[in-house]
Amino acid sequence: MKKLFDYTGRNVIAYYSGFLTKSINGMEVNDEDKNAFMLCINELERDKGLDLILHTPGGDSQATLSLVDYLRSMFGADMRAIVPQIAMSAGTMIACSCRSIVMGKHSSLGPVDPQFGHIAAANLLSEVRRARDEILADHRNALFWNPILSRITPSFIERCELAVADSNEFLEATLRENMLSDLKGAEQDSTVEKIKEVFANNIGKAHNTHIPAKQCAALGLKIEELEADQTFQDLVLTIHHCYMHTLANTAAFKITENHLGRALVKQQASQVVEVPMSQLVPFEMPSGSPPPSQGSEMLSPPPLPTKEPRAERPRAARVGSG
């Protein structure tokens, strides 16, 4: 990371989640992450901008909005997102708030539509609208839709509508303020609408849809090709593989770190398994061994069974030539 800073002259912060190899609460974007970014931003020269390396499945939308607001207050519009592999959902929202996004041919962004557990808010609202249209067209369709609609409360539908509205408004506002600020009038409007149609998931795709760099650029996002600068690519991918190796082979599940080596690492707590005393067998010390300290008891598993020696059998005669 220090070499990347020396090469670009820009501050570097890496934000990595181990979601590809672990499933632990806290790996997603949440309000606690702001403390990690406060730690990493302290003492940085903010006039040098920020290169933010992202690898995350997403997370809480309101925590993301608050985090983006904080980053913008520190570095203004001079932020660049680097996505070596995946920045989905809330990670895409962070990336779209930057001036540009560096992506490789293997990199992906994803839809930013809100989720309630495993329920996609946009998909649920789309299903409710479909049910309404089909029932109005033919009342006999109510026999099919009533059991489904009866499981949805009116308050939940309203929550979905508000969450989708917040997400869409943020995406549009942040694009207009930074990445697409050099576009004016109708050109900016049409570009924002094309991006929103795909990333706000108005086209009804799955929430985990991977949107590659080529499609992101075609929609109008400012995409810088990672492969355009071989030295830069080598530095970024070396950092990426170091983090992936660490997250896969240690107890760490989330790392936020800057190029000065200041970091906050979240680690999975070790679990202690209690074994009932009835399963432990007392162990007798061999003669001549020093006695154990007072109040202690030597325990060991039961001795392995011994085998009786087998009687030697006569070898069978070989049949055939040789």
Side-chain angles (χ1 to χ4, degrees), residues 99-137:
R99 184 188 65 195
S100 62
I101 309 172
V102 179
M103 298 179 69
K105 294 177 180 178
H106 48 272
S107 305
S108 299
L109 301 180
V112 301
D113 55 312
Q115 308 287 296
F116 290 93
H118 297 291
I119 300 175
N123 291 349
L124 181 137
L125 295 175
S126 176
E127 190 171 39
V128 170
R129 287 192 294 268
R130 175 187 166 192
R132 177 181 178 276
D133 293 341
E134 291 185 5
I135 292 172
L136 289 176

PDB file of all heavy atoms in Angstrom, residues 99-137:
ATOM      1  N   ARG A  99     -15.343  10.109  -7.744  1.00  0.00           N
ATOM      2  CA  ARG A  99     -15.146  10.806  -9.014  1.00  0.00           C
ATOM      3  C   ARG A  99     -15.068   9.825 -10.172  1.00  0.00           C
ATOM      4  O   ARG A  99     -15.510  10.096 -11.284  1.00  0.00           O
ATOM      5  CB  ARG A  99     -13.855  11.627  -8.938  1.00  0.00           C
ATOM      6  CG  ARG A  99     -13.563  12.487 -10.154  1.00  0.00           C
ATOM      7  CD  ARG A  99     -12.176  13.091 -10.041  1.00  0.00           C
ATOM      8  NE  ARG A  99     -11.140  12.040 -10.077  1.00  0.00           N
ATOM      9  CZ  ARG A  99      -9.885  12.226  -9.726  1.00  0.00           C
ATOM     10  NH1 ARG A  99      -9.487  13.387  -9.253  1.00  0.00           N
ATOM     11  NH2 ARG A  99      -9.017  11.238  -9.813  1.00  0.00           N
ATOM     12  N   SER A 100     -14.466   8.651  -9.928  1.00  0.00           N
ATOM     13  CA  SER A 100     -14.354   7.607 -10.936  1.00  0.00           C
ATOM     14  C   SER A 100     -14.178   6.275 -10.226  1.00  0.00           C
ATOM     15  O   SER A 100     -13.937   6.223  -9.012  1.00  0.00           O
ATOM     16  CB  SER A 100     -13.187   7.868 -11.895  1.00  0.00           C
ATOM     17  OG  SER A 100     -11.954   7.866 -11.188  1.00  0.00           O
ATOM     18  N   ILE A 101     -14.289   5.176 -11.005  1.00  0.00           N
ATOM     19  CA  ILE A 101     -14.156   3.832 -10.456  1.00  0.00           C
ATOM     20  C   ILE A 101     -13.151   3.073 -11.306  1.00  0.00           C
ATOM     21  O   ILE A 101     -13.298   3.001 -12.534  1.00  0.00           O
ATOM     22  CB  ILE A 101     -15.496   3.080 -10.450  1.00  0.00           C
ATOM     23  CG1 ILE A 101     -16.597   3.907  -9.792  1.00  0.00           C
ATOM     24  CG2 ILE A 101     -15.354   1.731  -9.754  1.00  0.00           C
ATOM     25  CD1 ILE A 101     -17.984   3.308  -9.919  1.00  0.00           C
ATOM     26  N   VAL A 102     -12.126   2.522 -10.668  1.00  0.00           N
ATOM     27  CA  VAL A 102     -11.150   1.683 -11.358  1.00  0.00           C
ATOM     28  C   VAL A 102     -11.640   0.246 -11.293  1.00  0.00           C
ATOM     29  O   VAL A 102     -11.876  -0.296 -10.208  1.00  0.00           O
ATOM     30  CB  VAL A 102      -9.752   1.794 -10.721  1.00  0.00           C
ATOM     31  CG1 VAL A 102      -8.765   0.891 -11.445  1.00  0.00           C
ATOM     32  CG2 VAL A 102      -9.267   3.240 -10.743  1.00  0.00           C
ATOM     33  N   MET A 103     -11.798  -0.392 -12.460  1.00  0.00           N
ATOM     34  CA  MET A 103     -12.273  -1.775 -12.522  1.00  0.00           C
ATOM     35  C   MET A 103     -11.439  -2.555 -13.533  1.00  0.00           C
ATOM     36  O   MET A 103     -11.018  -2.010 -14.553  1.00  0.00           O
ATOM     37  CB  MET A 103     -13.749  -1.835 -12.926  1.00  0.00           C
ATOM     38  CG  MET A 103     -14.701  -1.149 -11.962  1.00  0.00           C
ATOM     39  SD  MET A 103     -16.438  -1.236 -12.504  1.00  0.00           S
ATOM     40  CE  MET A 103     -16.787  -2.981 -12.288  1.00  0.00           C
ATOM     41  N   GLY A 104     -11.218  -3.821 -13.223  1.00  0.00           N
ATOM     42  CA  GLY A 104     -10.563  -4.713 -14.168  1.00  0.00           C
ATOM     43  C   GLY A 104     -11.596  -5.504 -14.942  1.00  0.00           C
ATOM     44  O   GLY A 104     -12.810  -5.378 -14.717  1.00  0.00           O
ATOM     45  N   LYS A 105     -11.129  -6.332 -15.828  1.00  0.00           N
ATOM     46  CA  LYS A 105     -12.047  -7.166 -16.600  1.00  0.00           C
ATOM     47  C   LYS A 105     -12.755  -8.192 -15.724  1.00  0.00           C
ATOM     48  O   LYS A 105     -13.783  -8.744 -16.108  1.00  0.00           O
ATOM     49  CB  LYS A 105     -11.272  -7.880 -17.714  1.00  0.00           C
ATOM     50  CG  LYS A 105     -10.711  -6.929 -18.765  1.00  0.00           C
ATOM     51  CD  LYS A 105      -9.893  -7.661 -19.808  1.00  0.00           C
ATOM     52  CE  LYS A 105      -9.343  -6.675 -20.843  1.00  0.00           C
ATOM     53  NZ  LYS A 105      -8.489  -7.342 -21.871  1.00  0.00           N
ATOM     54  N   HIS A 106     -12.209  -8.447 -14.542  1.00  0.00           N
ATOM     55  CA  HIS A 106     -12.766  -9.417 -13.609  1.00  0.00           C
ATOM     56  C   HIS A 106     -13.591  -8.751 -12.506  1.00  0.00           C
ATOM     57  O   HIS A 106     -14.100  -9.443 -11.625  1.00  0.00           O
ATOM     58  CB  HIS A 106     -11.621 -10.204 -12.953  1.00  0.00           C
ATOM     59  CG  HIS A 106     -10.534  -9.299 -12.456  1.00  0.00           C
ATOM     60  ND1 HIS A 106      -9.490  -8.906 -13.260  1.00  0.00           N
ATOM     61  CD2 HIS A 106     -10.353  -8.683 -11.268  1.00  0.00           C
ATOM     62  CE1 HIS A 106      -8.699  -8.104 -12.580  1.00  0.00           C
ATOM     63  NE2 HIS A 106      -9.205  -7.951 -11.363  1.00  0.00           N
ATOM     64  N   SER A 107     -13.727  -7.429 -12.529  1.00  0.00           N
ATOM     65  CA  SER A 107     -14.390  -6.696 -11.448  1.00  0.00           C
ATOM     66  C   SER A 107     -15.895  -6.604 -11.685  1.00  0.00           C
ATOM     67  O   SER A 107     -16.352  -6.627 -12.833  1.00  0.00           O
ATOM     68  CB  SER A 107     -13.798  -5.287 -11.330  1.00  0.00           C
ATOM     69  OG  SER A 107     -12.403  -5.331 -11.154  1.00  0.00           O
ATOM     70  N   SER A 108     -16.641  -6.470 -10.595  1.00  0.00           N
ATOM     71  CA  SER A 108     -18.098  -6.381 -10.690  1.00  0.00           C
ATOM     72  C   SER A 108     -18.664  -5.419  -9.664  1.00  0.00           C
ATOM     73  O   SER A 108     -18.189  -5.358  -8.530  1.00  0.00           O
ATOM     74  CB  SER A 108     -18.748  -7.756 -10.481  1.00  0.00           C
ATOM     75  OG  SER A 108     -18.328  -8.684 -11.448  1.00  0.00           O
ATOM     76  N   LEU A 109     -19.705  -4.684 -10.086  1.00  0.00           N
ATOM     77  CA  LEU A 109     -20.579  -3.944  -9.185  1.00  0.00           C
ATOM     78  C   LEU A 109     -21.924  -4.661  -9.174  1.00  0.00           C
ATOM     79  O   LEU A 109     -22.109  -5.669  -9.848  1.00  0.00           O
ATOM     80  CB  LEU A 109     -20.729  -2.498  -9.646  1.00  0.00           C
ATOM     81  CG  LEU A 109     -19.449  -1.667  -9.762  1.00  0.00           C
ATOM     82  CD1 LEU A 109     -19.771  -0.246 -10.232  1.00  0.00           C
ATOM     83  CD2 LEU A 109     -18.692  -1.625  -8.442  1.00  0.00           C
ATOM     84  N   GLY A 110     -22.873  -4.142  -8.385  1.00  0.00           N
ATOM     85  CA  GLY A 110     -24.173  -4.807  -8.312  1.00  0.00           C
ATOM     86  C   GLY A 110     -25.302  -3.830  -8.050  1.00  0.00           C
ATOM     87  O   GLY A 110     -25.068  -2.657  -7.734  1.00  0.00           O
ATOM     88  N   PRO A 111     -26.552  -4.279  -8.174  1.00  0.00           N
ATOM     89  CA  PRO A 111     -27.710  -3.426  -7.900  1.00  0.00           C
ATOM     90  C   PRO A 111     -27.691  -2.895  -6.472  1.00  0.00           C
ATOM     91  O   PRO A 111     -27.157  -3.543  -5.568  1.00  0.00           O
ATOM     92  CB  PRO A 111     -28.903  -4.365  -8.122  1.00  0.00           C
ATOM     93  CG  PRO A 111     -28.383  -5.436  -9.030  1.00  0.00           C
ATOM     94  CD  PRO A 111     -26.945  -5.623  -8.641  1.00  0.00           C
ATOM     95  N   VAL A 112     -28.294  -1.726  -6.290  1.00  0.00           N
ATOM     96  CA  VAL A 112     -28.294  -1.084  -4.976  1.00  0.00           C
ATOM     97  C   VAL A 112     -29.682  -1.097  -4.339  1.00  0.00           C
ATOM     98  O   VAL A 112     -29.937  -0.376  -3.380  1.00  0.00           O
ATOM     99  CB  VAL A 112     -27.763   0.372  -5.069  1.00  0.00           C
ATOM    100  CG1 VAL A 112     -26.352   0.398  -5.616  1.00  0.00           C
ATOM    101  CG2 VAL A 112     -28.680   1.238  -5.936  1.00  0.00           C
ATOM    102  N   ASP A 113     -30.589  -1.900  -4.882  1.00  0.00           N
ATOM    103  CA  ASP A 113     -31.941  -1.944  -4.324  1.00  0.00           C
ATOM    104  C   ASP A 113     -31.908  -2.505  -2.912  1.00  0.00           C
ATOM    105  O   ASP A 113     -31.210  -3.481  -2.637  1.00  0.00           O
ATOM    106  CB  ASP A 113     -32.870  -2.769  -5.213  1.00  0.00           C
ATOM    107  CG  ASP A 113     -32.339  -4.171  -5.469  1.00  0.00           C
ATOM    108  OD1 ASP A 113     -31.155  -4.287  -5.817  1.00  0.00           O
ATOM    109  OD2 ASP A 113     -33.098  -5.146  -5.299  1.00  0.00           O
ATOM    110  N   PRO A 114     -32.667  -1.911  -1.969  1.00  0.00           N
ATOM    111  CA  PRO A 114     -32.627  -2.335  -0.558  1.00  0.00           C
ATOM    112  C   PRO A 114     -33.160  -3.758  -0.380  1.00  0.00           C
ATOM    113  O   PRO A 114     -33.998  -4.239  -1.146  1.00  0.00           O
ATOM    114  CB  PRO A 114     -33.532  -1.321   0.146  1.00  0.00           C
ATOM    115  CG  PRO A 114     -33.656  -0.178  -0.800  1.00  0.00           C
ATOM    116  CD  PRO A 114     -33.548  -0.753  -2.172  1.00  0.00           C
ATOM    117  N   GLN A 115     -32.663  -4.409   0.673  1.00  0.00           N
ATOM    118  CA  GLN A 115     -33.078  -5.765   1.029  1.00  0.00           C
ATOM    119  C   GLN A 115     -33.560  -5.785   2.473  1.00  0.00           C
ATOM    120  O   GLN A 115     -32.999  -5.119   3.326  1.00  0.00           O
ATOM    121  CB  GLN A 115     -31.910  -6.744   0.876  1.00  0.00           C
ATOM    122  CG  GLN A 115     -31.215  -6.709  -0.466  1.00  0.00           C
ATOM    123  CD  GLN A 115     -32.039  -7.332  -1.548  1.00  0.00           C
ATOM    124  OE1 GLN A 115     -32.324  -8.521  -1.518  1.00  0.00           O
ATOM    125  NE2 GLN A 115     -32.429  -6.531  -2.530  1.00  0.00           N
ATOM    126  N   PHE A 116     -34.609  -6.562   2.719  1.00  0.00           N
ATOM    127  CA  PHE A 116     -35.051  -6.830   4.089  1.00  0.00           C
ATOM    128  C   PHE A 116     -34.854  -8.324   4.330  1.00  0.00           C
ATOM    129  O   PHE A 116     -35.704  -9.136   3.969  1.00  0.00           O
ATOM    130  CB  PHE A 116     -36.516  -6.440   4.284  1.00  0.00           C
ATOM    131  CG  PHE A 116     -36.757  -4.956   4.255  1.00  0.00           C
ATOM    132  CD1 PHE A 116     -37.110  -4.321   3.068  1.00  0.00           C
ATOM    133  CD2 PHE A 116     -36.613  -4.188   5.397  1.00  0.00           C
ATOM    134  CE1 PHE A 116     -37.326  -2.956   3.031  1.00  0.00           C
ATOM    135  CE2 PHE A 116     -36.823  -2.815   5.373  1.00  0.00           C
ATOM    136  CZ  PHE A 116     -37.182  -2.204   4.187  1.00  0.00           C
ATOM    137  N   GLY A 117     -33.697  -8.659   4.894  1.00  0.00           N
ATOM    138  CA  GLY A 117     -33.342 -10.062   5.006  1.00  0.00           C
ATOM    139  C   GLY A 117     -33.079 -10.617   3.616  1.00  0.00           C
ATOM    140  O   GLY A 117     -32.226 -10.130   2.887  1.00  0.00           O
ATOM    141  N   HIS A 118     -33.856 -11.634   3.234  1.00  0.00           N
ATOM    142  CA  HIS A 118     -33.712 -12.229   1.901  1.00  0.00           C
ATOM    143  C   HIS A 118     -34.768 -11.689   0.940  1.00  0.00           C
ATOM    144  O   HIS A 118     -34.904 -12.202  -0.173  1.00  0.00           O
ATOM    145  CB  HIS A 118     -33.815 -13.754   1.985  1.00  0.00           C
ATOM    146  CG  HIS A 118     -32.729 -14.393   2.789  1.00  0.00           C
ATOM    147  ND1 HIS A 118     -31.415 -14.424   2.355  1.00  0.00           N
ATOM    148  CD2 HIS A 118     -32.750 -15.000   4.003  1.00  0.00           C
ATOM    149  CE1 HIS A 118     -30.682 -15.046   3.261  1.00  0.00           C
ATOM    150  NE2 HIS A 118     -31.461 -15.403   4.264  1.00  0.00           N
ATOM    151  N   ILE A 119     -35.503 -10.661   1.355  1.00  0.00           N
ATOM    152  CA  ILE A 119     -36.568 -10.104   0.518  1.00  0.00           C
ATOM    153  C   ILE A 119     -36.083  -8.815  -0.122  1.00  0.00           C
ATOM    154  O   ILE A 119     -35.685  -7.874   0.574  1.00  0.00           O
ATOM    155  CB  ILE A 119     -37.839  -9.841   1.353  1.00  0.00           C
ATOM    156  CG1 ILE A 119     -38.340 -11.144   1.979  1.00  0.00           C
ATOM    157  CG2 ILE A 119     -38.926  -9.214   0.488  1.00  0.00           C
ATOM    158  CD1 ILE A 119     -39.510 -10.958   2.924  1.00  0.00           C
ATOM    159  N   ALA A 120     -36.104  -8.756  -1.435  1.00  0.00           N
ATOM    160  CA  ALA A 120     -35.726  -7.546  -2.158  1.00  0.00           C
ATOM    161  C   ALA A 120     -36.927  -6.615  -2.225  1.00  0.00           C
ATOM    162  O   ALA A 120     -37.995  -7.000  -2.713  1.00  0.00           O
ATOM    163  CB  ALA A 120     -35.247  -7.898  -3.557  1.00  0.00           C
ATOM    164  N   ALA A 121     -36.751  -5.397  -1.724  1.00  0.00           N
ATOM    165  CA  ALA A 121     -37.865  -4.456  -1.652  1.00  0.00           C
ATOM    166  C   ALA A 121     -38.436  -4.157  -3.034  1.00  0.00           C
ATOM    167  O   ALA A 121     -39.652  -4.143  -3.233  1.00  0.00           O
ATOM    168  CB  ALA A 121     -37.414  -3.168  -0.973  1.00  0.00           C
ATOM    169  N   ALA A 122     -37.563  -3.910  -4.014  1.00  0.00           N
ATOM    170  CA  ALA A 122     -38.029  -3.580  -5.361  1.00  0.00           C
ATOM    171  C   ALA A 122     -38.797  -4.745  -5.978  1.00  0.00           C
ATOM    172  O   ALA A 122     -39.830  -4.545  -6.633  1.00  0.00           O
ATOM    173  CB  ALA A 122     -36.847  -3.187  -6.237  1.00  0.00           C
ATOM    174  N   ASN A 123     -38.318  -5.976  -5.768  1.00  0.00           N
ATOM    175  CA  ASN A 123     -39.001  -7.147  -6.317  1.00  0.00           C
ATOM    176  C   ASN A 123     -40.358  -7.365  -5.667  1.00  0.00           C
ATOM    177  O   ASN A 123     -41.330  -7.743  -6.334  1.00  0.00           O
ATOM    178  CB  ASN A 123     -38.134  -8.395  -6.141  1.00  0.00           C
ATOM    179  CG  ASN A 123     -36.900  -8.363  -7.023  1.00  0.00           C
ATOM    180  OD1 ASN A 123     -36.784  -7.520  -7.904  1.00  0.00           O
ATOM    181  ND2 ASN A 123     -35.970  -9.265  -6.789  1.00  0.00           N
ATOM    182  N   LEU A 124     -40.442  -7.125  -4.352  1.00  0.00           N
ATOM    183  CA  LEU A 124     -41.721  -7.288  -3.670  1.00  0.00           C
ATOM    184  C   LEU A 124     -42.738  -6.279  -4.182  1.00  0.00           C
ATOM    185  O   LEU A 124     -43.899  -6.628  -4.444  1.00  0.00           O
ATOM    186  CB  LEU A 124     -41.537  -7.136  -2.162  1.00  0.00           C
ATOM    187  CG  LEU A 124     -42.815  -7.324  -1.337  1.00  0.00           C
ATOM    188  CD1 LEU A 124     -42.544  -8.159  -0.096  1.00  0.00           C
ATOM    189  CD2 LEU A 124     -43.427  -5.982  -0.914  1.00  0.00           C
ATOM    190  N   LEU A 125     -42.311  -5.014  -4.339  1.00  0.00           N
ATOM    191  CA  LEU A 125     -43.234  -3.996  -4.849  1.00  0.00           C
ATOM    192  C   LEU A 125     -43.670  -4.320  -6.268  1.00  0.00           C
ATOM    193  O   LEU A 125     -44.836  -4.093  -6.638  1.00  0.00           O
ATOM    194  CB  LEU A 125     -42.568  -2.623  -4.793  1.00  0.00           C
ATOM    195  CG  LEU A 125     -42.249  -2.096  -3.388  1.00  0.00           C
ATOM    196  CD1 LEU A 125     -41.475  -0.776  -3.477  1.00  0.00           C
ATOM    197  CD2 LEU A 125     -43.527  -1.902  -2.587  1.00  0.00           C
ATOM    198  N   SER A 126     -42.749  -4.848  -7.067  1.00  0.00           N
ATOM    199  CA  SER A 126     -43.096  -5.237  -8.429  1.00  0.00           C
ATOM    200  C   SER A 126     -44.121  -6.368  -8.436  1.00  0.00           C
ATOM    201  O   SER A 126     -45.059  -6.376  -9.246  1.00  0.00           O
ATOM    202  CB  SER A 126     -41.836  -5.665  -9.177  1.00  0.00           C
ATOM    203  OG  SER A 126     -42.132  -6.137 -10.467  1.00  0.00           O
ATOM    204  N   GLU A 127     -43.981  -7.310  -7.512  1.00  0.00           N
ATOM    205  CA  GLU A 127     -44.924  -8.418  -7.423  1.00  0.00           C
ATOM    206  C   GLU A 127     -46.299  -7.942  -6.972  1.00  0.00           C
ATOM    207  O   GLU A 127     -47.328  -8.417  -7.480  1.00  0.00           O
ATOM    208  CB  GLU A 127     -44.384  -9.474  -6.454  1.00  0.00           C
ATOM    209  CG  GLU A 127     -45.168 -10.770  -6.471  1.00  0.00           C
ATOM    210  CD  GLU A 127     -44.484 -11.850  -5.664  1.00  0.00           C
ATOM    211  OE1 GLU A 127     -43.934 -11.517  -4.582  1.00  0.00           O
ATOM    212  OE2 GLU A 127     -44.484 -13.013  -6.094  1.00  0.00           O
ATOM    213  N   VAL A 128     -46.332  -6.993  -6.047  1.00  0.00           N
ATOM    214  CA  VAL A 128     -47.610  -6.444  -5.589  1.00  0.00           C
ATOM    215  C   VAL A 128     -48.322  -5.721  -6.741  1.00  0.00           C
ATOM    216  O   VAL A 128     -49.548  -5.844  -6.922  1.00  0.00           O
ATOM    217  CB  VAL A 128     -47.392  -5.499  -4.390  1.00  0.00           C
ATOM    218  CG1 VAL A 128     -48.672  -4.734  -4.070  1.00  0.00           C
ATOM    219  CG2 VAL A 128     -46.941  -6.292  -3.168  1.00  0.00           C
ATOM    220  N   ARG A 129     -47.588  -4.954  -7.522  1.00  0.00           N
ATOM    221  CA  ARG A 129     -48.186  -4.265  -8.675  1.00  0.00           C
ATOM    222  C   ARG A 129     -48.713  -5.271  -9.703  1.00  0.00           C
ATOM    223  O   ARG A 129     -49.789  -5.078 -10.283  1.00  0.00           O
ATOM    224  CB  ARG A 129     -47.160  -3.335  -9.324  1.00  0.00           C
ATOM    225  CG  ARG A 129     -46.857  -2.083  -8.515  1.00  0.00           C
ATOM    226  CD  ARG A 129     -46.066  -1.072  -9.333  1.00  0.00           C
ATOM    227  NE  ARG A 129     -44.723  -1.576  -9.655  1.00  0.00           N
ATOM    228  CZ  ARG A 129     -43.655  -1.344  -8.905  1.00  0.00           C
ATOM    229  NH1 ARG A 129     -43.761  -0.636  -7.780  1.00  0.00           N
ATOM    230  NH2 ARG A 129     -42.475  -1.812  -9.263  1.00  0.00           N
ATOM    231  N   ARG A 130     -47.951  -6.336  -9.915  1.00  0.00           N
ATOM    232  CA  ARG A 130     -48.401  -7.370 -10.852  1.00  0.00           C
ATOM    233  C   ARG A 130     -49.686  -8.020 -10.362  1.00  0.00           C
ATOM    234  O   ARG A 130     -50.624  -8.254 -11.148  1.00  0.00           O
ATOM    235  CB  ARG A 130     -47.301  -8.422 -11.011  1.00  0.00           C
ATOM    236  CG  ARG A 130     -47.700  -9.608 -11.864  1.00  0.00           C
ATOM    237  CD  ARG A 130     -46.623 -10.678 -11.821  1.00  0.00           C
ATOM    238  NE  ARG A 130     -47.110 -11.935 -12.356  1.00  0.00           N
ATOM    239  CZ  ARG A 130     -46.490 -13.094 -12.245  1.00  0.00           C
ATOM    240  NH1 ARG A 130     -45.326 -13.153 -11.606  1.00  0.00           N
ATOM    241  NH2 ARG A 130     -47.007 -14.210 -12.746  1.00  0.00           N
ATOM    242  N   ALA A 131     -49.758  -8.317  -9.049  1.00  0.00           N
ATOM    243  CA  ALA A 131     -50.962  -8.914  -8.490  1.00  0.00           C
ATOM    244  C   ALA A 131     -52.164  -7.992  -8.673  1.00  0.00           C
ATOM    245  O   ALA A 131     -53.264  -8.443  -9.047  1.00  0.00           O
ATOM    246  CB  ALA A 131     -50.737  -9.229  -7.012  1.00  0.00           C
ATOM    247  N   ARG A 132     -51.964  -6.704  -8.409  1.00  0.00           N
ATOM    248  CA  ARG A 132     -53.062  -5.738  -8.556  1.00  0.00           C
ATOM    249  C   ARG A 132     -53.576  -5.716  -9.992  1.00  0.00           C
ATOM    250  O   ARG A 132     -54.796  -5.749 -10.231  1.00  0.00           O
ATOM    251  CB  ARG A 132     -52.577  -4.349  -8.134  1.00  0.00           C
ATOM    252  CG  ARG A 132     -53.597  -3.239  -8.298  1.00  0.00           C
ATOM    253  CD  ARG A 132     -53.013  -1.899  -7.870  1.00  0.00           C
ATOM    254  NE  ARG A 132     -53.979  -0.825  -8.064  1.00  0.00           N
ATOM    255  CZ  ARG A 132     -54.181  -0.185  -9.225  1.00  0.00           C
ATOM    256  NH1 ARG A 132     -53.472  -0.534 -10.300  1.00  0.00           N
ATOM    257  NH2 ARG A 132     -55.066   0.773  -9.310  1.00  0.00           N
ATOM    258  N   ASP A 133     -52.640  -5.651 -10.950  1.00  0.00           N
ATOM    259  CA  ASP A 133     -53.051  -5.578 -12.356  1.00  0.00           C
ATOM    260  C   ASP A 133     -53.789  -6.835 -12.795  1.00  0.00           C
ATOM    261  O   ASP A 133     -54.792  -6.769 -13.525  1.00  0.00           O
ATOM    262  CB  ASP A 133     -51.817  -5.362 -13.245  1.00  0.00           C
ATOM    263  CG  ASP A 133     -51.172  -4.004 -13.019  1.00  0.00           C
ATOM    264  OD1 ASP A 133     -51.845  -3.110 -12.466  1.00  0.00           O
ATOM    265  OD2 ASP A 133     -49.981  -3.851 -13.385  1.00  0.00           O
ATOM    266  N   GLU A 134     -53.307  -8.008 -12.368  1.00  0.00           N
ATOM    267  CA  GLU A 134     -53.938  -9.256 -12.782  1.00  0.00           C
ATOM    268  C   GLU A 134     -55.311  -9.436 -12.138  1.00  0.00           C
ATOM    269  O   GLU A 134     -56.239  -9.964 -12.769  1.00  0.00           O
ATOM    270  CB  GLU A 134     -53.031 -10.440 -12.445  1.00  0.00           C
ATOM    271  CG  GLU A 134     -51.764 -10.487 -13.281  1.00  0.00           C
ATOM    272  CD  GLU A 134     -50.927 -11.723 -13.020  1.00  0.00           C
ATOM    273  OE1 GLU A 134     -51.389 -12.603 -12.252  1.00  0.00           O
ATOM    274  OE2 GLU A 134     -49.818 -11.829 -13.580  1.00  0.00           O
ATOM    275  N   ILE A 135     -55.452  -8.999 -10.896  1.00  0.00           N
ATOM    276  CA  ILE A 135     -56.761  -9.117 -10.227  1.00  0.00           C
ATOM    277  C   ILE A 135     -57.762  -8.160 -10.845  1.00  0.00           C
ATOM    278  O   ILE A 135     -58.945  -8.515 -11.047  1.00  0.00           O
ATOM    279  CB  ILE A 135     -56.607  -8.866  -8.714  1.00  0.00           C
ATOM    280  CG1 ILE A 135     -55.813 -10.007  -8.071  1.00  0.00           C
ATOM    281  CG2 ILE A 135     -57.975  -8.732  -8.040  1.00  0.00           C
ATOM    282  CD1 ILE A 135     -55.451  -9.760  -6.616  1.00  0.00           C
ATOM    283  N   LEU A 136     -57.329  -6.943 -11.175  1.00  0.00           N
ATOM    284  CA  LEU A 136     -58.236  -5.990 -11.817  1.00  0.00           C
ATOM    285  C   LEU A 136     -58.650  -6.466 -13.211  1.00  0.00           C
ATOM    286  O   LEU A 136     -59.777  -6.232 -13.655  1.00  0.00           O
ATOM    287  CB  LEU A 136     -57.570  -4.620 -11.916  1.00  0.00           C
ATOM    288  CG  LEU A 136     -57.388  -3.858 -10.592  1.00  0.00           C
ATOM    289  CD1 LEU A 136     -56.635  -2.552 -10.822  1.00  0.00           C
ATOM    290  CD2 LEU A 136     -58.746  -3.587  -9.936  1.00  0.00           C
ATOM    291  N   ALA A 137     -57.739  -7.155 -13.896  1.00  0.00           N
ATOM    292  CA  ALA A 137     -58.060  -7.660 -15.234  1.00  0.00           C
ATOM    293  C   ALA A 137     -59.020  -8.849 -15.173  1.00  0.00           C
ATOM    294  O   ALA A 137     -59.885  -8.997 -16.051  1.00  0.00           O
ATOM    295  CB  ALA A 137     -56.784  -8.058 -15.958  1.00  0.00           C
TER     296      ALA A 137
END
